[in-house]
Amino acid sequence: MCGIVGYIGKNPALPILFSGLERLEYRGYDSFGFCVLDDGKIDFLCKEKGKISDQCHIKNSESSGSIGIAHTRWATTGIVTKENAHPHFDCNQEFFVVHNGIIENYKEIKEKLLNEGHKFSSETDTEVLAHLIEKYFDGVLEDAVKKALKEVRGTYGLAVVSPKDPNKIVVARMSSPLLIGINGDEFIIASDPSAIITRTRQIIHLDDNEVAVLTPDNFIISKQEKENDCWKIADKKIETIEWNIEEAEKGGYKHFMLKEIMQEPATIEDAIRGRLYLEKGNAKLGGLEIVEDRLRNIDNIALIGCGTAYYAAKVAEYMIEEYAGISAEPDIGSEFRYRKSSFNKNTAGIFVSQSGETADTLAALREMKEKGLLTIGVTNVVGSNQARETDAGVYTRSGPEIAVASTKAFIGQLTTFALIAVYLGRQRDMALVMGNRIIEEISRLPELAREILDTKEEIKTIANKYINYRDFWFIGRKYNYPIALEGALKLKEVSYVHAEGTAGGELKHGPLALIDENCPTIAICSSDSVYEKMISNIEEVKARNGKVIAIATKGNEDIKKIVDDVIYIPKTLEMLTPILSVIPLHLFAYYFADALGRDIDKPKNLAKSVTVE
Ligand code: G6P
């Protein structure tokens, strides 16, 4: 989500770090920071709010140090402030850390360190690393880093420098990318190849459980062995990056939209990390703790969003009503204000937004606040207006989404809502076994989502087969009704082809008049409580010579006999199927639009964030 750059060599580090960060800005841009060492001393230390590209004067600062680390932040834990920007440091400003990822157990560690007398200056999870390194430092930086890492749980790509052991950078990785670029007698570390590609194309990828120590003339990578806790020198291969800058930013994918779809399993992982209470059959949602008691008394919920976020709200309606027994009503931000809704003091509003800046959603939020009602945010951007103005909330942690059409952020919203439904359900009548069952199934979702992405070439073939059609219908029922709406929205947004979504049951009430051999239907018919009814809808379409592409559950061979094409998704709980069934629809829209040569990441007439009403 954030970006890391580090430099060790013979040249001044600052300009190299600066241009590396500029190229990483697309990954996170709310604040940034640098720490450069020279001759065993801190030569340049700076943390700022805002975009690096607005701060060009920094590049020309007096600094000749040739060892340094830098970071551009996309806030997750702790709002956007100068203090929360990286590098983070210990009590005496001797150990400097830049970090991507999440330290899940940071609260426990922080409490312990506070009791031991450590003084913290930020709200971040990262800062505990700096203090742990301070605590364990005994002359050799890498030894202290290794000891510190033994105490933390979570994910990290990190880089550490210290004037106490000044001629090195120590880096480590666990589930968060980090690479070392080799350029003759200098080494550049980065979380992303786009940061270093103009300086070198020779790289080594760090793997999980690896720690590298870089000095001006050499580097050593060691790996921790699981069995005996020992560190062994790792034998690594140097790879050559063939990508150009633009391809590198897109992770080698042709478009950000495809890259972001491919990140969907990781988005689920990020949304649930540290939030699954398996033994308690519950979700641990720190952001709702302050309103926990108020939430217990809530008996109806208004769910507000716009565009794709509104469809997430519609899925949430089914989840919350079925599993928490609370009446829930979704509405579009722009329509909410025209209604004379009969709220009572036990009404809560849940506002869903990737950006947290959508004007209509914010207007609805402000209206509800004026009525003194409880407001909750399901937001991706930390510190956004929505995040700041709601009483409490849950961040979706989906990372920056660059493509205008929302894909991974939607997956993050649905996953977050599944957690909220369990949380509200367990506050009420949901049995422990039911909570256990859902939480366990949620933990399998990343793996199931990956299975779908593995079939992307088949989905591409199907999309290409339908490339000459100009009208599409999407149908689904219950949990997959909003997914039919989202599938149609995605297709029209990126391909400019007419597509509509309806509830399966509504087909007879109008849309059938348009179904013929020129208007294919995409039917979401997973093997669940509405399967038979969806089959009836498919038969209605087939009776009018309409072509049908089915999204069906793996193992359902019968469906092949009645439809033209099938895309399979793995079996999961009915309430979680939308998180899987939308993935092939995202891929279908992408490949369809790509075959038509559309400007996929920036569709005409559309904006990523609609900040006017
Ligand atoms: C715009 C974007 C959509 C997004 C919607 C809501 O229309 O193009 O992708 O779903 O705004 O945005 P939000 O940031 O509130 O989720």
Side-chain angles (χ1 to χ4, degrees):
M1 287 183 207
C2 311
I4 290 179
V5 195
Y7 177 85
I8 186 160
K10 311 262 182 295
N11 294 301
L14 189 60
I16 299 166
L17 296 173
F18 189 92
S19 55
L21 280 197
E22 270 185 318
R23 265 178 248 111
L24 287 183
E25 202 160 61
Y26 75 98
R27 292 177 56 93
Y29 37 71
D30 55 42
S31 50
F32 61 86
F34 298 84
C35 177
V36 177
L37 302 183
D38 188 24
D39 216 8
K41 290 190 205 68
I42 301 164
D43 179 44
F44 186 75
L45 178 62
C46 133
K47 309 211 295 180
E48 288 294 345
K49 261 167 74 168
K51 284 188 171 190
I52 184 84
S53 47
D54 297 337
Q55 309 279 337
C56 285
H57 61 275
I58 288 179
K59 203 169 14 184
N60 307 318
S61 306
E62 287 277 311
S63 166
S64 51
S66 55
I67 299 175
I69 54 175
H71 188 268
T72 174
R73 181 169 187 246
W74 168 269
T76 48
T77 307
I79 56 166
V80 183
T81 60
K82 190 171 163 163
E83 290 71 29
N84 288 342
H86 299 220
H88 288 287
F89 40 75
D90 60 304
C91 306
N92 303 316
Q93 298 206 13
E94 288 172 338
F95 301 95
F96 297 86
V97 182
V98 291
H99 166 227
N100 286 353
I102 302 176
I103 305 300
E104 285 169 23
N105 57 339
Y106 85 98
K107 282 193 182 147
E108 294 116 83
I109 299 176
K110 187 167 176 174
E111 212 177 291
K112 234 169 94 187
L113 289 165
L114 283 168
N115 286 335
E116 289 169 15
H118 287 258
K119 300 252 176 311
F120 280 74
S121 50
S122 80
E123 298 160 339
T124 64
D125 52 334
T126 302
E127 195 182 340
V128 299
L129 287 167
H131 290 271
L132 283 173
I133 295 167
E134 173 190 22
K135 174 174 165 180
Y136 292 119
F137 185 73
D138 194 13
V140 181
L141 186 59
E142 58 271 31
D143 292 351
V145 172
K146 287 174 183 170
K147 281 185 186 149
L149 293 180
K150 267 180 99 169
E151 295 210 7
V152 303
R153 218 177 40 238
T155 57
Y156 47 81
L158 57 89
V160 189
V161 292
S162 169
K164 300 284 278 181
D165 189 5
N167 283 319
K168 59 177 71 154
I169 303 179
V170 179
V171 298
R173 172 197 153 127
M174 176 68 81
S175 299
S176 187
L178 210 59
L179 51 90
I180 302 173
I182 302 158
N183 185 31
D185 55 1
E186 64 179 14
F187 306 115
I188 311 156
I189 56 144
S191 50
D192 191 316
S194 55
I196 61 169
I197 219 157
T198 52
R199 260 191 118 73
T200 179
R201 290 179 171 272
Q202 303 296 106
I203 60 155
I204 291 180
H205 281 283
L206 278 197
D207 288 312
D208 284 352
N209 293 308
E210 286 182 346
V211 167
V213 182
L214 299 105
T215 58
D217 338 281
N218 207 348
F219 64 88
I220 296 174
I221 303 174
S222 49
K223 189 174 184 81
Q224 187 175 31
E225 300 200 317
K226 277 200 192 98
E227 318 76 53
N228 52 17
D229 231 19
C230 287
W231 291 86
K232 284 247 166 80
I233 302 291
D235 188 18
K236 306 286 291 185
K237 272 204 193 83
I238 299 180
E239 296 165 44
T240 306
I241 319 175
E242 308 289 355
W243 303 333
N244 61 34
I245 288 265
E246 213 194 322
E247 285 167 339
E249 284 184 351
K250 292 175 186 152
Y253 294 105
K254 191 170 169 191
H255 296 98
F256 280 110
M257 180 176 175
L258 183 58
K259 179 183 174 191
E260 285 158 5
I261 296 171
M262 297 308 284
Q263 287 175 333
E264 288 180 343
T267 306
I268 305 172
E269 270 162 2
D270 287 336
I272 63 179
R273 181 167 293 114
R275 289 174 169 171
L276 303 184
Y277 246 145
L278 278 172
E279 65 291 359
K280 291 194 180 169
N282 207 343
K284 196 167 149 189
L285 299 172
L288 297 186
E289 269 166 24
I290 45 165
V291 294
E292 198 180 335
D293 292 335
R294 283 178 79 185
L295 277 172
R296 258 179 236 286
N297 298 320
I298 290 305
D299 57 22
N300 79 84
I301 293 178
L303 292 152
I304 316 291
C306 296
T308 288
Y310 167 65
Y311 297 144
K314 273 190 85 63
V315 174
E317 169 194 11
Y318 291 88
M319 289 177 173
I320 291 172
E321 291 197 333
E322 183 167 4
Y323 287 95
I326 305 171
S327 122
E329 199 174 336
D331 208 345
I332 299 162
S334 57
E335 284 299 308
F336 179 76
R337 60 180 41 186
Y338 306 130
R339 295 176 53 201
K340 288 273 161 282
S341 308
S342 51
F343 298 134
N344 61 51
K345 63 176 184 359
N346 294 331
T347 300
I350 305 191
F351 298 84
V352 197
S353 174
Q354 185 285 126
S355 60
E357 302 295 351
T358 298
D360 286 320
T361 309
L362 284 175
L365 160 63
R366 287 165 190 159
E367 212 160 291
M368 257 200 129
K369 273 186 81 105
E370 253 171 45
K371 296 190 167 86
L373 301 171
L374 176 62
T375 58
I376 308 286
V378 170
T379 320
N380 190 31
V381 180
V382 174
S384 55
N385 273 313
Q386 177 170 294
R388 281 188 280 115
E389 292 180 32
T390 38
D391 295 309
V394 186
Y395 284 119
T396 54
R397 305 177 180 159
S398 309
E401 192 178 58
I402 312 287
V404 165
S406 186
T407 53
K408 66 169 182 171
F410 181 64
I411 296 278
Q413 288 161 351
L414 296 186
T415 310
T416 305
F417 272 122
L419 298 175
I420 292 176
V422 174
Y423 177 90
L424 294 173
R426 294 287 290 136
Q427 277 192 329
R428 293 164 175 79
D429 297 331
M430 185 189 285
L432 173 64
V433 289
M434 174 64 82
N436 279 143
R437 175 83 189 88
I438 301 174
I439 292 293
E440 233 174 78
E441 195 60 19
I442 291 176
S443 72
R444 290 181 61 229
L445 286 175
E447 164 202 332
L448 302 184
R450 279 192 187 99
E451 276 181 39
I452 300 172
L453 293 180
D454 287 344
T455 66
K456 69 177 194 307
E457 288 305 318
E458 291 154 46
I459 298 170
K460 181 178 180 178
T461 307
I462 295 175
N464 286 338
K465 187 171 154 189
Y466 287 85
I467 205 66
N468 293 320
Y469 291 88
R470 288 297 168 269
D471 296 287
F472 283 84
W473 223 273
F474 287 70
I475 54 170
R477 286 174 184 255
K478 202 175 171 184
Y479 285 103
N480 283 309
Y481 161 42
I483 298 306
L485 302 178
E486 165 65 7
L489 173 67
K490 213 66 357 172
L491 186 61
K492 67 186 144 202
E493 268 181 302
V494 294
S495 73
Y496 318 151
V497 158
H498 170 236
E500 282 191 50
T502 30
E506 280 292 292
L507 210 53
K508 294 188 209 60
H509 298 286
L512 270 188
L514 296 174
I515 300 291
D516 59 17
E517 65 280 11
N518 297 317
C519 178
T521 297
I522 299 188
I524 309 160
C525 53
S526 40
S527 305
D528 53 29
S529 67
V530 291
Y531 177 73
E532 299 300 333
K533 291 212 157 51
M534 283 303 301
I535 293 296
S536 306
N537 289 140
I538 290 173
E539 279 160 356
E540 285 158 14
V541 173
K542 292 306 299 175
R544 272 114 193 136
N545 289 328
K547 299 223 173 296
V548 175
I549 304 168
I551 310 293
T553 305
K554 250 185 198 164
N556 178 358
E557 292 298 317
D558 288 348
I559 192 125
K560 286 186 179 157
K561 295 180 203 141
I562 49 171
V563 302
D564 299 272
D565 291 284
V566 187
I567 299 171
Y568 285 110
I569 57 169
K571 176 106 193 113
T572 184
L573 292 179
E574 185 173 18
M575 76 174 289
L576 303 177
T577 49
I579 302 172
L580 300 182
S581 61
V582 77
I583 299 175
L585 300 187
H586 284 164
L587 284 170
F588 183 89
Y590 172 78
Y591 286 124
F592 193 93
D594 190 37
L596 292 178
R598 303 299 194 224
D599 188 1
I600 294 185
D601 288 332
K602 292 191 181 114
K604 68 172 158 61
N605 306 336
L606 301 179
K608 181 73 189 153
S609 191
V610 181
T611 52
V612 287
E613 289 182 32

